[in-house]
Amino acid sequence: MHADFDSQVRNAAFEFLREAARRHGTDVLPRSVLAQGFQFDAQRVPILGPQGIFKPAILPEMPLSITTVPVAEGEAAPYRDLIGDDGLLRYCYRGSDPRHRDNVGLRLAMQRQAPLIYCHGVVRGQYVAVWPVFIIGDSSAELMFTVSVDDRKIASLGAADDDEAATEGRRRYITRQIQQRLHQEGFRQRVLSAYRQHCAICRLRHAELLEAAHILPDGHPLGEPVVPNGLALCKLHHAAF
């Protein structure tokens, strides 16, 4: 009964995120929307909370989401969340005790292959919610979990994939794609904020029509995704540039 209820809550969370993205016209959502969450069985279910590993009160055992907070340029990240050489996300334990209840909850999610939501902060107050993500590794020596992303259309709650090699390959590919998109979205949000949501050439002020252009391209030794190397441009002027 717990497993069925847990699945219902997770499915409701995924549907809430789909609808929120539709309403906002983008996958980049205000933290306030994610923190408010949705109603299920007469209870409020936040998507994220004050801690990175978050289990809403309605769920009996396992967390619903993990979060990486945005970091302003020049500031140090509070956690060592990083991308490994294999293209998969390494997500830090809560604290240094592997037996902390949050870490135990994520370990249980790994054992049951329960889908989670990954909230990635692109700039202060703005997050991209990625789902479904799965815990696929646990290193108590490094105090880190390994996380991969799966295809929303393929992954289904409680469905086991007999072809483990195909599942692993698909998840690695999708995870790399998602990381590239998060990288690009973070750069875009920082640049648009610096230019106060205006095109630097024509002053168009519709954020949905603006893009972040690299002054020096990605492949250039100095082409870093930082605000001094960016221009906020409308689609037309970006193409011309």
Side-chain angles (χ1 to χ4, degrees):
M1 186 171 64
H2 277 176
D4 184 58
F5 183 77
D6 181 277
S7 295
Q8 291 176 28
V9 174
R10 291 177 197 276
N11 276 323
F14 299 158
E15 185 57 37
F16 165 77
L17 291 173
R18 289 189 189 95
E19 177 60 21
R22 187 195 65 78
R23 289 199 316 270
H24 286 81
T26 176
D27 284 340
V28 182
L29 300 174
R31 192 185 193 286
S32 57
V33 170
L34 298 172
Q36 179 62 31
F38 62 98
Q39 291 288 321
F40 185 89
D41 199 21
Q43 296 187 60
R44 187 172 70 86
V45 184
I47 298 297
L48 50 68
Q51 304 298 336
I53 302 172
F54 177 66
K55 185 186 80 64
I58 195 172
L59 287 180
E61 298 175 294
M62 298 179 290
L64 176 63
S65 69
I66 56 176
T67 297
T68 297
V69 298
V71 180
E73 290 189 36
E75 293 183 3
Y79 294 100
R80 297 179 295 116
D81 300 344
L82 51 85
I83 305 302
D85 293 337
D86 55 5
L88 298 176
L89 174 68
R90 300 298 190 273
Y91 192 82
C92 288
Y93 277 20
R94 169 80 184 276
S96 58
D97 182 2
R99 295 169 297 178
H100 188 285
R101 63 182 181 183
D102 289 350
N103 301 325
V104 171
L106 275 190
R107 203 167 291 119
L108 183 60
M110 179 182 70
Q111 293 167 0
R112 297 181 180 175
Q113 280 300 281
L116 305 164
I117 299 163
Y118 175 47
C119 299
H120 180 88
V122 288
V123 292
R124 191 179 301 276
Q126 300 289 323
Y127 288 76
V128 175
V130 178
W131 81 92
V133 304
F134 294 87
I135 307 298
I136 61 170
D138 173 22
S139 173
S140 57
E142 297 178 316
L143 301 178
M144 283 187 167
F145 293 101
T146 301
V147 184
S148 70
V149 187
D150 210 337
D151 191 329
R152 297 178 190 176
K153 293 179 291 187
I154 294 176
S156 59
L157 294 173
D161 193 334
D162 293 333
D163 192 341
E164 293 184 6
T167 298
E168 180 181 354
R170 181 182 71 242
R171 287 181 177 179
R172 286 179 185 274
Y173 175 74
I174 294 171
T175 302
R176 289 189 182 95
Q177 285 188 315
I178 290 294
Q179 290 299 332
Q180 183 178 18
R181 183 167 72 85
L182 294 177
H183 166 87
Q184 293 171 342
E185 190 59 52
F187 176 63
R188 177 179 179 271
Q189 292 291 333
R190 293 191 299 271
V191 170
L192 265 58
S193 177
Y195 280 84
R196 299 179 183 271
Q197 316 296 322
H198 284 88
C199 173
I201 305 300
C202 67
R203 310 302 292 167
L204 180 73
R205 194 176 183 179
H206 291 279
E208 65 274 17
L209 300 177
L210 299 180
E211 298 175 345
H214 284 77
I215 298 172
L216 296 175
D218 265 334
H220 192 281
L222 300 178
E224 298 181 10
V226 293
V227 170
N229 189 44
L231 288 171
L233 298 173
C234 67
K235 295 178 183 292
L236 179 62
H237 283 114
H238 191 182
F241 178 74

